[in-house]
Amino acid sequence: MKIRSYLRRDIAVTREHGSWVFLFSPLFIGLFAGDSWGGVTPYLFLACLAGFMIRQPMTIAVKALSGRRSRKDIPPALFWMFIYAGLGGLGVWGLLKNDFPYLLLLVVPGIFVFAWYLGLVYRRVERGQMGVEIVASGVLALAAPAGYWIGVGHPHPLGWWLWLLNWFQSAASIVYIFLRLKQRKLGEIPSVAERIWMGWRALSYSGFNLGVTVFLSMLGWLPSGIFIPYLLQFLETLWGVFQPAVGYKPTKIGLRQLIVSILFTLLFIFSWKWT
């Protein structure tokens, strides 16, 4: 087999470009919250990135084994799995060397969720599984406490708040994206009542997040301005419910969501550190 057949982008890199934000947003929030810019940070970054990247070749391999793709895809998939496993191993080695073994406990939920996902892939029922994506986003949100803990030097309880806050945001984003993708298939703009009915779940998720962060900030458990990024998310959801994406291309929906997610990340970092 020629070397070029191993260097295939569709096997090495996920085509779900919007999924990147569900890893990098929690990771950077955790790093900034903990001022984690020491020598351990590159190891954490490498371990998180490798764990995220290995999903694509493993998915391709399972699809090939289930008959959904050619068996010729298995060798290049194994090639990239080996590379990502090696990079991940280097990241784990660095974390262990610098006395952060407890961070490896955060990997355990990911193993079970990933095995669940691969089982769905093998049975050809993974598409459109919003519940799976929400659970998976919770696993990726564990990058937030990991980033925070390497900064403070121990598993401080605030790290779990960062995890929950990021998971709630990711879950609301996923529900909203599913709403927008559903809207694009409509033949015409529905009535106001129908728009609200279609969007009630997205509004309830983002509204819950906003309400909880306002309440916890008032109690003094979280920074006073932590509700600000969730207000942005709620307003975006409200706008999306009443401005259906009828006829929109998925790339247009994804680009807008990416911009909103970046703004959310920046506002979260600012609110956590300076309010």
Side-chain angles (χ1 to χ4, degrees), residues 180-189 244-250 252-253:
R180 299 298 275 173
L181 293 174
K182 184 178 180 180
Q183 289 174 337
R184 66 179 292 267
K185 298 178 181 179
L186 297 174
E188 59 182 13
I189 296 179
V246 178
Y248 282 28
K249 293 182 179 180
K252 183 177 181 179
I253 296 173

Side-chain angles (χ1 to χ4, degrees), residues 55 106-121 131-140 142 167:
R55 171 179 174 266
L106 299 178
V107 178
V108 176
I111 295 174
F112 287 101
V113 172
F114 193 33
W116 176 30
Y117 170 76
L118 291 178
L120 294 175
V121 171
V132 177
E133 295 194 23
I134 290 175
V135 173
S137 71
V139 172
L140 294 177
L142 289 169
W167 187 12

Side-chain angles (χ1 to χ4, degrees), residues 75-120:
L78 292 175
F79 170 75
W80 284 107
M81 287 164 59
F82 177 78
I83 289 179
Y84 294 143
L87 293 175
L90 179 60
V92 169
W93 172 82
L95 294 174
L96 292 175
K97 180 183 177 182
N98 288 276
D99 299 321
F100 288 99
Y102 53 84
L103 291 182
L104 300 186
L105 294 176
L106 299 178
V107 178
V108 176
I111 295 174
F112 287 101
V113 172
F114 193 33
W116 176 30
Y117 170 76
L118 291 178
L120 294 175

Side-chain angles (χ1 to χ4, degrees), residues 199-226:
W200 73 268
R201 186 171 184 179
L203 283 172
S204 64
Y205 271 64
S206 59
F208 173 81
N209 291 350
L210 177 60
V212 166
T213 50
V214 168
F215 179 69
L216 293 177
S217 64
M218 290 176 63
L219 289 179
W221 293 5
L222 294 175
S224 59
I226 198 62

Side-chain angles (χ1 to χ4, degrees), residues 19-252:
S19 61
W20 290 89
V21 73
F22 295 120
L23 169 67
F24 286 117
S25 179
L27 180 57
F28 280 111
I29 284 174
L31 291 174
F32 273 95
D35 290 323
S36 310
W37 306 110
V40 186
T41 302
Y43 293 115
L44 176 65
F45 187 88
L46 188 61
C48 289
L49 184 61
F52 178 81
M53 295 289 286
I54 203 171
R55 171 179 174 266
Q56 180 66 6
M58 288 189 72
T59 300
I60 297 297
V62 170
K63 286 183 176 180
L65 290 172
S66 65
R68 297 173 64 180
R69 294 181 66 115
S70 170
R71 291 268 176 165
K72 294 181 180 179
D73 290 339
I74 294 180
L78 292 175
F79 170 75
W80 284 107
M81 287 164 59
F82 177 78
I83 289 179
Y84 294 143
L87 293 175
L90 179 60
V92 169
W93 172 82
L95 294 174
L96 292 175
K97 180 183 177 182
N98 288 276
D99 299 321
F100 288 99
Y102 53 84
L103 291 182
L104 300 186
L105 294 176
L106 299 178
V107 178
V108 176
I111 295 174
F112 287 101
V113 172
F114 193 33
W116 176 30
Y117 170 76
L118 291 178
L120 294 175
V121 171
Y122 189 83
R123 299 198 305 273
R124 309 186 182 196
V125 292
E126 82 281 5
R127 293 183 179 179
Q129 296 278 1
M130 182 165 58
V132 177
E133 295 194 23
I134 290 175
V135 173
S137 71
V139 172
L140 294 177
L142 289 169
Y148 181 70
W149 289 342
I150 65 171
V152 299
H154 63 282
H156 193 284
L158 271 179
W160 294 118
W161 278 115
L162 286 171
W163 170 60
L164 282 174
L165 290 170
N166 278 274
W167 187 12
F168 286 173
Q169 186 272 335
S170 296
S173 295
I174 290 169
V175 174
Y176 180 61
I177 291 171
F178 269 78
L179 169 66
R180 299 298 275 173
L181 293 174
K182 184 178 180 180
Q183 289 174 337
R184 66 179 292 267
K185 298 178 181 179
L186 297 174
E188 59 182 13
I189 296 179
S191 66
V192 173
E194 290 174 320
R195 289 179 236 174
I196 295 174
W197 177 250
M198 287 184 65
W200 73 268
R201 186 171 184 179
L203 283 172
S204 64
Y205 271 64
S206 59
F208 173 81
N209 291 350
L210 177 60
V212 166
T213 50
V214 168
F215 179 69
L216 293 177
S217 64
M218 290 176 63
L219 289 179
W221 293 5
L222 294 175
S224 59
I226 198 62
F227 69 91
I228 295 174
Y230 295 92
L231 176 61
L232 169 69
Q233 185 179 44
F234 178 76
L235 293 175
E236 166 63 17
T237 305
L238 193 65
W239 177 87
V241 168
F242 289 100
Q243 298 291 328
V246 178
Y248 282 28
K249 293 182 179 180
T251 51
K252 183 177 181 179

